[in-house]
Amino acid sequence: MNAATGFKDALSPIFKTHPSIHLTQQTMNATNQTIDAAKPLWEIAQSKENTNRKQKLNNRITRREYFSALERIKELCKPLEGWAFERDYTIHPSDKATPIHCFLNNEIYWHLTCDEQYNFTILYNVADDKLQTEVNCLIYLMSKSTRWQPSTELDVPTLFKRCKRIQPNKYFSILK
């Protein structure tokens, strides 16, 4: 039983028997959707609720490719030293429904996200030209079903500065 069903089932007898409370089925459904909306999108994408087998397979491949490339990216960033932000949103959730994992420093933004259609996508941006060449090679070697997209919202150093102001210190470490 999920939270939405449990909520609906637990309150149904009250609404049916109390004369001053008149909730329609539409109101109950809206309440259930609000409860489900609080669930991270990646969780729904991997659950039994999502019956699209091809999408689930592509998501598993994208996730595997993301973490495989992340290990190489960390190796490439070690000589640069300095601080890095890394957060696994499956363990440490946020108030947003889309992030799965993020790695960020002054040179690279590497982010795994899940969109509203339950597709996992790797978002990335690179500030260093040498590192950009390496990342392009990593992406080229990925499976054809891996979803990736360059992110050009902000330059990486500005994004990292903003991240340092907003995110808790526990997600920052020195690259060694």
Side-chain angles (χ1 to χ4, degrees), residues 33-72:
Q33 288 172 354
T34 303
I35 291 169
D36 285 343
K39 190 186 265 190
L41 294 174
W42 61 265
E43 199 173 295
I44 297 168
Q46 294 178 324
S47 72
K48 292 178 183 174
E49 297 168 41
N50 180 6
T51 57
N52 186 333
R53 287 183 177 182
K54 183 177 180 187
Q55 183 181 50
K56 281 183 171 182
L57 177 63
N58 288 343
N59 286 346
R60 278 194 297 272
I61 291 168
T62 301
R63 184 184 182 101
R64 184 188 69 225
E65 299 278 359
Y66 170 87
F67 283 106
S68 176
L70 178 62
E71 291 306 311
R72 178 67 182 136

Side-chain angles (χ1 to χ4, degrees), residues 66-67 70-71 74 84-89 92 101-104 163 170-173 175:
Y66 170 87
F67 283 106
L70 178 62
E71 291 306 311
K74 286 180 180 179
F85 168 80
E86 184 171 9
R87 183 169 178 179
D88 184 343
Y89 292 91
H92 305 285
H101 189 276
C102 183
F103 177 83
L104 173 66
C163 180
K170 68 181 180 180
Y171 301 117
F172 291 87
S173 62
L175 292 173

Side-chain angles (χ1 to χ4, degrees), residues 4-168:
T5 306
F7 176 79
K8 179 181 168 186
D9 292 345
L11 295 180
S12 285
I14 296 169
F15 296 130
K16 288 178 184 173
T17 59
H18 199 283
S20 64
I21 300 175
H22 301 288
L23 276 183
T24 64
Q25 186 62 39
Q26 185 178 19
T27 305
M28 291 294 284
N29 289 341
T31 304
N32 293 339
Q33 288 172 354
T34 303
I35 291 169
D36 285 343
K39 190 186 265 190
L41 294 174
W42 61 265
E43 199 173 295
I44 297 168
Q46 294 178 324
S47 72
K48 292 178 183 174
E49 297 168 41
N50 180 6
T51 57
N52 186 333
R53 287 183 177 182
K54 183 177 180 187
Q55 183 181 50
K56 281 183 171 182
L57 177 63
N58 288 343
N59 286 346
R60 278 194 297 272
I61 291 168
T62 301
R63 184 184 182 101
R64 184 188 69 225
E65 299 278 359
Y66 170 87
F67 283 106
S68 176
L70 178 62
E71 291 306 311
R72 178 67 182 136
I73 287 168
K74 286 180 180 179
E75 289 297 317
L76 293 169
C77 290
K78 278 183 184 180
L80 305 173
E81 297 182 354
W83 289 93
F85 168 80
E86 184 171 9
R87 183 169 178 179
D88 184 343
Y89 292 91
T90 64
I91 298 170
H92 305 285
S94 77
D95 58 343
K96 296 182 178 158
T98 60
I100 301 171
H101 189 276
C102 183
F103 177 83
L104 173 66
N105 67 9
N106 268 323
E107 307 298 328
I108 187 164
Y109 168 65
W110 192 251
H111 186 107
L112 182 62
T113 188
C114 180
D115 64 21
E116 289 79 15
Q117 288 78 40
Y118 309 126
N119 295 306
F120 288 13
T121 305
I122 298 170
L123 302 175
Y124 71 96
N125 194 348
V126 183
D128 180 74
D129 289 337
K130 182 180 176 223
L131 196 55
Q132 178 70 55
T133 303
E134 293 286 344
V135 169
N136 287 345
C137 288
L138 289 171
I139 289 170
Y140 177 77
L141 295 172
M142 289 182 178
S143 166
K144 298 286 185 233
S145 62
T146 300
R147 292 173 52 100
W148 53 268
Q149 176 182 339
S151 173
T152 55
E153 294 175 29
L154 289 172
D155 62 294
V156 177
T158 303
L159 189 60
F160 188 58
K161 285 176 190 171
R162 182 181 288 175
C163 180
K164 286 195 291 190
R165 285 194 315 264
I166 296 171
Q167 293 289 339

